[in-house]
Amino acid sequence: HFSGSINQDLTKYFVDSIKTQKTDQVVIGKTAIEWLNSINYSATYKKIIFKKGYPESQELDVLARIVKDYSQIIVYYPKMRTVMLQIPTSKDITQTAYLTDMKVSVEDAKKLFIFEPEFSKILDYFESQVTNLLLQQAFLEGELSRTAARLVSMDESQRNADRVIKQNASILDHKKKSAANGRLLETYASIILTRKAQEDAYDYK
């Protein structure tokens, strides 16, 4: 909640991107779930809330096991371009997508290495590890982006606070001067009244 609009922007980006896709959805974090509830989001999705903002290793392992068997895994998270600019982004972290990018097929990968006891078991193990690491990378980038957003928000709040303090200091100074002028007028009026009373008393005599 202290990261400005970055979480809301990310959730909106997710909702807009997922509209035309028929896919299982996993939403992580209280802020995103609260925002989806506020807009009456009708799609079915699995809710995951970590103990802290960043997942512990066991929580990350559970998440990796949930998504590892999907043919495609798209992760939505905030990415930091600069300290002042964080943008919602999405990334396909499916292992086959990375093999395609490297122009190496699963069959070619089998020829490059000798696996024991079985290639399928070794592949399953490494798929889990890679999925875990790619998810962790997304969380780390998201946390970096939110930290930058919080710093910008804190800096803006500090500037606003300084402006308010300056305004209040000016108002306070004006009030002090008004009070001093009021006391001065009262003193002057008292002197005049005293003199007038003395003059009236003299005339009476």
Side-chain angles (χ1 to χ4, degrees):
H1 289 290
F2 297 100
S3 303
S5 65
I6 185 171
N7 290 317
Q8 182 174 331
D9 293 342
L10 173 63
T11 313
K12 186 177 184 301
Y13 171 71
F14 165 74
V15 171
D16 292 340
S17 301
I18 211 77
K19 281 180 180 177
T20 58
Q21 301 183 34
K22 293 182 179 180
T23 178
D24 292 341
Q25 302 175 27
V26 178
V27 178
I28 300 171
K30 289 182 179 179
T31 304
I33 293 171
E34 288 173 1
W35 194 82
L36 290 177
N37 289 335
S38 71
I39 63 170
N40 298 319
Y41 187 59
S42 58
T44 302
Y45 59 90
K46 183 178 180 63
K47 303 175 184 178
I48 295 180
I49 300 177
F50 298 134
K51 294 179 181 177
K52 300 178 181 179
Y54 185 81
E56 297 177 355
S57 59
Q58 292 180 346
E59 293 173 324
L60 196 59
D61 289 340
V62 171
L63 179 60
R65 286 197 294 271
I66 290 173
V67 302
K68 76 178 184 66
D69 292 328
Y70 284 90
S71 59
Q72 186 179 34
I73 306 167
I74 301 177
V75 179
Y76 293 80
Y77 63 99
K79 185 177 182 65
M80 188 179 79
R81 286 286 180 85
T82 67
V83 174
M84 300 297 294
L85 178 62
Q86 298 83 36
I87 59 170
T89 188
S90 59
K91 179 190 292 185
D92 185 350
I93 66 167
T94 314
Q95 288 77 26
T96 53
Y98 279 81
L99 289 175
T100 301
D101 290 341
M102 295 186 295
K103 300 185 181 342
V104 178
S105 67
V106 175
E107 292 301 320
D108 290 335
K110 292 180 182 179
K111 299 174 184 177
L112 296 176
F113 305 96
I114 299 175
F115 291 101
E116 293 183 358
E118 295 178 18
F119 176 78
S120 60
K121 293 182 179 179
I122 299 297
L123 182 61
D124 183 66
Y125 170 78
F126 279 110
E127 280 185 347
S128 298
Q129 293 300 308
V130 170
T131 300
N132 190 309
L133 290 173
L134 292 174
L135 286 171
Q136 188 175 28
Q137 178 186 353
F139 279 112
L140 285 171
E141 289 187 23
E143 189 64 21
L144 176 62
S145 180
R146 290 188 181 89
T147 299
R150 282 194 290 270
L151 291 174
V152 172
S153 179
M154 289 170 62
D155 182 65
E156 183 177 351
S157 298
Q158 181 64 52
R159 290 199 301 271
N160 290 337
D162 290 341
R163 185 169 61 252
V164 171
I165 291 172
K166 186 177 180 180
Q167 290 174 349
N168 288 338
S170 178
I171 293 172
L172 180 61
D173 184 60
H174 179 71
K175 294 289 186 182
K176 287 181 178 179
K177 288 181 179 179
S178 296
N181 290 336
R183 287 193 297 270
L184 183 61
L185 290 173
E186 288 177 0
T187 302
Y188 183 70
S190 177
I191 293 173
I192 291 176
L193 290 174
T194 302
R195 285 181 178 177
K196 190 173 186 316
Q198 290 175 347
E199 290 175 356
D200 289 343
Y202 179 80
D203 291 341
Y204 176 76
K205 289 179 181 180

